Amino acid sequence: MIGRNELCPCSSGKKYKHCHMNKPLKEDIAFSIEELHFFQINTLKVAKKQVQVFEKNIQIIQFPNNKIIFKNMYDALEHAASSSIMVNPIHRYGAQTYSRIHPSGIGSIQFTWSIPVFDQIVASGEMKAVGYSIKDLMKHINIEELTEKVLAHAESNDDPVYIIKYQGGQELEQWAVDGNHRIASRHHKAELINGYVFSEEQHISALLFDYMRVAYTVRTNITRMLNYSGIGKPPELLPM
């Protein structure tokens, strides 16, 4: 739990008791810090179980320096579990977020991204929008979650959508974290839609909470280690 006199994790610089104690952490996050603390502990428990399950996997044992890598994972998870919940400092009050639950046989983890972080990356001018397959993006869009009112106006919105490369399983998947209504509104009318494609390193920096970045990095690195055949140069792992 967060002490009354500790700094509030919203990055305001105020003490917790004078800021968000028993209040929603952000206007667009309808949970108290106590509830978020529960999510933090549950997320890190699932991530730790993943480490424990795959630590002795035959496929992973052949990965170079696997013992050191797993020690670093345990250390990062322990540190994240004992740390206060900190909101991404770039995130703005009331700004848009995108959440997705990643299910597994071990347990589910919810990841939430801050759209303002993606906005800042795009504003840097280092990215270019490219035409992306609407059909491929629709594979990961739940139509039932979209609203008719927004869909009606989405077709006239020509802003590029935001797409992330997400390690959903053995293969990298492409998800739209901003622009799902724009994609769906063009589903039967066009083949391509303009979008910015963010690397894993970029979209990890956009995750809303520090502990989510640790959990995503752990599960992604485990997947990359599992994909290594033991022949040739091993895949590069994300920094813990």
Side-chain angles (χ1 to χ4, degrees), residues 89-174:
I90 299 174
H91 187 69
R92 302 189 306 271
Y93 283 86
Q96 183 182 355
T97 61
Y98 176 85
S99 296
R100 194 71 173 256
I101 295 177
H102 182 89
S104 74
I106 297 173
S108 298
I109 294 178
Q110 175 173 302
F111 294 111
T112 301
W113 291 267
S114 168
I115 301 305
V117 180
F118 292 116
D119 292 338
Q120 186 177 85
I121 295 172
V122 170
S124 69
E126 298 178 359
M127 300 188 68
K128 293 184 179 180
V130 297
Y132 209 87
S133 168
I134 291 176
K135 182 179 179 180
D136 288 344
L137 292 172
M138 285 297 296
K139 295 176 183 177
H140 303 291
I141 294 178
N142 186 349
I143 297 295
E144 295 179 357
E145 294 179 353
L146 305 182
T147 60
E148 291 295 333
K149 184 177 181 180
V150 178
L151 276 171
H153 299 284
E155 192 174 353
S156 61
N157 184 346
D158 293 325
D159 291 341
V161 300
Y162 291 171
I163 303 164
I164 65 172
K165 293 184 177 181
Y166 182 85
Q167 191 80 55
Q170 295 297 312
E171 302 292 334
L172 276 175
E173 300 172 354
Q174 282 74 41

Side-chain angles (χ1 to χ4, degrees), residues 8-11 25-26 29 36 84-92 114 207-210 213:
C8 186
C10 75
S11 303
L25 187 57
K26 290 282 185 181
I29 305 173
L36 289 171
S84 297
I85 299 173
M86 298 301 294
V87 178
N88 195 309
I90 299 174
H91 187 69
R92 302 189 306 271
S114 168
L207 283 165
L208 193 57
F209 300 113
D210 287 348
R213 290 193 279 277

Side-chain angles (χ1 to χ4, degrees), residues 25-133:
L25 187 57
K26 290 282 185 181
E27 293 174 6
D28 58 331
I29 305 173
F31 301 104
S32 68
I33 290 183
E34 285 73 19
E35 290 172 312
L36 289 171
H37 180 70
F38 170 80
F39 297 147
Q40 173 195 29
I41 296 303
N42 182 69
T43 294
L44 296 173
K45 279 184 177 179
V46 172
K48 187 175 181 178
K49 285 181 181 178
Q50 291 175 330
V51 176
Q52 292 170 334
V53 167
F54 292 106
E55 187 176 11
K56 305 300 182 183
N57 184 281
I58 296 177
Q59 190 80 3
I60 280 183
I61 290 176
Q62 64 185 349
F63 197 93
N65 301 315
N66 63 85
K67 291 184 179 180
I68 296 174
I69 293 170
F70 276 105
K71 182 183 183 304
N72 291 338
M73 288 182 183
Y74 281 120
D75 289 345
L77 289 168
E78 183 177 346
H79 181 266
S82 62
S83 300
S84 297
I85 299 173
M86 298 301 294
V87 178
N88 195 309
I90 299 174
H91 187 69
R92 302 189 306 271
Y93 283 86
Q96 183 182 355
T97 61
Y98 176 85
S99 296
R100 194 71 173 256
I101 295 177
H102 182 89
S104 74
I106 297 173
S108 298
I109 294 178
Q110 175 173 302
F111 294 111
T112 301
W113 291 267
S114 168
I115 301 305
V117 180
F118 292 116
D119 292 338
Q120 186 177 85
I121 295 172
V122 170
S124 69
E126 298 178 359
M127 300 188 68
K128 293 184 179 180
V130 297
Y132 209 87
S133 168

